[in-house]
Each structure stands twice: as C-alpha cells, then as structure tokens.
Amino acid sequence: MTVDFKQDILAPVAQDFAMMDTFINEGITSKVALVMAVSKHVVEAGGKRMRPIMCLLAAKACGAEDLERQRKLAAIIEMLHTATLVHDDVVDESGLRRGRPTANATWNNQTAVLVGDFLISRAFDLLVDLGDMTLLKDFSTGTCEIAEGEVLQLQAQHQPETTEQTYLDIIHGKTSRLFELATEGAAILSGTPQYREALRLFAGHFGNAFQIIDDILDYTSDAETLGKNIGDDLMEGKPTLPLISALKNTTGAEHDVVRRSIATGGTADLEQVIAIVNNSGALDYCRQRAHEETEAALDALQALPESQYRQALVNLTQLALHRIQ
C-alpha cells in the first residue's frame, strides 16, 4: 500500500498538531530580539515534525482523551530536536539544511550555539511546568545520552576501525533516543506506564531504521531529495554503516580506497567510493538491517491495543522504510 503522510499519519491528530504548532511559537518568545529571530528561523526550517506527531499518536494510542499536556510535550520535543540540529550544523560546519541556509550560515557560529542553548533551556523550562518528576527525569537522562551520542560520533570521525556496534551506539544516542523520549513521554503523561517499555522499544528500533535509511540515501539519492550534498558523511570522514559494511566486504585496492576516505575525509575519491559501496553488497546489507529494525519496531507496537492511532504509527514506520524501496 502507498502511505499518504497527511491522510494516513497526520489526520488522526491533525487538530492537536495545529494547536501544538502554536504552542511552539509561543514557547520561543524571548525578550532578546535576536534570540527570537534565530529561533523562529530554525523552528520554521523544521521538517515534517515527525517526533511531535509520534508523541501525539502514542498518547492517543495509550488511550489519552484530552491531549492538552501531551501537546505541550510534543512542542518541547520539537524544540529539543531543533536545538540539536542547530548545534549539529555548527559542529559539521553545514551551510544548508533541507535546502535552506543554516543558522550558523545566516548569522554565525556563536549566535547559533547560544540560541541552541536557549532552546534546550526553554524546553526544560516548559517541561517543569508539566510538573511530572518521572517525565523530567526521563528527559534529563535522555538529553545527556543524546549529547553523549554526538560526542561518540565526533570521536569515531576518521576512524576506519569503527565497528557496527559503535555505530549503533552512536545512532541510538543521536537519533533514536529522542524518538524514545517522544513515545515514552506520551505514555508517562497519559498515565499508562504499562505501555512505556513497548513504546520505547518501538521508537528505538524505528530511530535505528530511520538513521540507517538516511545513511543509505547518502549514497543513492541526489542533493535535491536529500536537502544536503551527496557524500557529506564521507566528506566529514564519518564511518556510517554503508562504509563499515563496504570495508568488511572488500579487500585489496578497493578496501584501501574506502579506508583512506574515512581516515582523511574529503571527496577526492567520492565517485569511486560510491561505486564500491554500491557494488560490494554493502547497501544490500544496510537495507536488510533497516528491514530488521523496522520489523522489530512493528512487533513492539503489538503490545498496544488496536486503534487508528496505533495504525498511524505503523503507517509512519512503513513510510520511513519506503524511502529506500
């Protein structure tokens, strides 16, 4: 089946989603005009708002009726997500994100870093208003792990010895953890702790699949679709799963080219590396791993009662996977 984002995913929570969007804009008000201008720029440059949608759907799937508090939580999640993107762009020295100039490119690194700090602080400020210690603890621990994932990624840069396990540790921190916070947070706020573990497993596997697919697209997509340049990961010497797998599958000259590309970064051998990644079976392996993670995510969802909201989470998972079909 073909999944339509608006119809099959967003529709069941469309009203709550619109109200949440308003809350984000209220949340980023600041006495300092520059803080507002930059925050507005980065929040508007956001993508599909997948994490907040996931939060709202999870809350409804847990049986929550009135989503007033979950809407606030969804807004907080989007603010945290935005903050991590702003900081990522500074770290990666990116000029574009989703085809738009980044905050660091529009203003400068200093401004981008400080506004990222503001967004994180503001998110926690709003989180405290929800008055739930379990939730606050989950988010405090989770945001620490997100930062650790980013540092782990930085440490792995230019390291061809990076293992698949280290890669999984990195993506759990930098990608999957925030998805987990979105769904676990929904279960906590909805007063259904019995679904917390199932939703955490769902979101963790979903995040893994999502990131593996992103990393595949770095070798198969084009700049238009990707919103960033092909080979950006390679440029930065990031050992993503396609490269780790290509190293495992090759010997001799080909192996050396991939090793050297990770170790030095840059795109001198880009065409050759793309060819090696494509021909070595690395992408097939990555696709298989993305399918496995997707299956694990869908299995975990079965613990929740059947509803249109659970189905929408299934649809979202399938839509994410279809990007590599």
Side-chain angles (χ1 to χ4, degrees):
M1 82 171 214
T2 48
V3 176
D4 176 66
F5 185 77
K6 274 201 168 120
Q7 203 46 52
D8 302 322
I9 294 161
L10 183 57
V13 287
Q15 220 175 343
D16 289 298
F17 180 76
M19 291 162 86
M20 180 235 26
D21 230 25
T22 317
F23 187 75
I24 291 182
N25 288 315
E26 287 167 15
I28 57 177
T29 49
S30 162
K31 294 186 287 290
V32 180
L34 182 60
V35 169
M36 279 244 344
V38 182
S39 298
K40 225 172 154 42
H41 171 89
V42 294
V43 166
E44 281 170 5
K48 280 208 172 92
R49 301 254 197 275
M50 206 165 38
R51 291 153 193 81
I53 290 172
M54 202 180 258
C55 176
L56 296 170
L57 286 172
K60 285 282 206 184
C62 287
E65 300 281 322
D66 174 34
L67 294 197
E68 191 196 349
R69 301 174 76 213
Q70 288 92 338
R71 287 197 296 267
K72 289 182 176 170
L73 180 65
I76 288 163
I77 285 158
E78 187 61 14
M79 287 165 78
L80 279 174
H81 176 54
T82 304
T84 60
L85 296 185
V86 174
H87 284 166
D88 279 358
D89 287 338
V90 173
V91 170
D92 295 341
E93 298 169 8
S94 299
L96 285 181
R97 177 172 287 278
R98 301 197 183 88
R100 285 187 51 167
T102 53
N104 44 298
T106 309
W107 288 276
N108 53 32
N109 281 347
Q110 293 95 318
T111 308
V113 168
L114 296 173
V115 172
D117 291 344
F118 166 79
L119 285 168
I120 292 170
S121 310
R122 193 75 184 102
F124 274 91
D125 191 25
L126 295 167
L127 203 53
V128 172
D129 291 341
L130 290 173
D132 189 312
M133 268 323 255
T134 310
L135 187 69
L136 197 53
K137 180 65 185 162
D138 196 26
F139 270 73
S140 306
T141 312
T143 44
C144 287
E145 289 170 349
I146 290 167
E148 286 170 339
E150 292 292 352
V151 175
L152 212 55
Q153 172 166 270
L154 203 57
Q155 238 185 338
Q157 225 169 340
H158 302 302
Q159 302 293 328
E161 277 78 31
T162 306
T163 61
E164 182 171 334
Q165 188 50 55
T166 301
Y167 167 82
L168 288 171
D169 292 342
I170 290 169
I171 70 170
H172 177 257
K174 75 165 198 160
T175 301
S176 308
R177 196 66 189 89
L178 196 57
F179 283 116
E180 290 175 356
L181 289 175
T183 55
E184 275 192 272
I188 294 166
L189 270 190
S190 304
T192 49
Q194 68 272 28
Y195 298 136
R196 192 176 155 180
E197 180 61 10
L199 280 169
R200 183 185 66 79
L201 285 169
F202 157 70
H205 289 300
F206 175 92
N208 286 353
F210 190 81
Q211 188 58 56
I212 291 169
I213 292 161
D214 253 13
D215 293 341
I216 293 170
L217 290 174
D218 204 43
Y219 291 91
T220 57
S221 189
D222 54 71
E224 278 299 291
T225 324
L226 212 53
K228 61 172 192 172
N229 296 323
I230 299 298
D232 269 3
D233 291 339
L234 189 65
M235 181 79 190
E236 292 154 20
K238 285 182 188 166
T240 58
L241 195 58
L243 291 174
I244 293 169
S245 178
L247 278 176
K248 227 184 246 171
N249 293 355
T250 53
T251 52
E254 289 194 332
H255 185 82
D256 293 341
V257 169
V258 179
R259 260 194 83 89
R260 189 173 63 240
S261 291
I262 297 172
T264 58
T267 50
D269 298 319
L270 178 63
E271 297 299 318
Q272 209 179 343
V273 173
I274 291 176
I276 295 168
V277 167
N278 276 287
N279 298 333
S280 65
L283 291 181
D284 294 327
Y285 174 70
C286 292
R287 287 189 190 99
Q288 179 202 327
R289 288 291 294 113
H291 275 278
E292 286 166 7
E293 292 288 348
T294 300
E295 287 307 312
L298 294 174
D299 282 350
L301 271 183
Q302 295 306 306
L304 273 81
E306 198 181 330
S307 67
Q308 59 165 326
Y309 309 106
R310 185 184 82 174
Q311 185 54 45
L313 287 171
V314 169
N315 296 344
L316 178 60
T317 310
Q318 286 167 341
L319 185 71
L321 186 68
H322 277 304
R323 295 181 303 154
I324 53 163
Q325 302 302 48

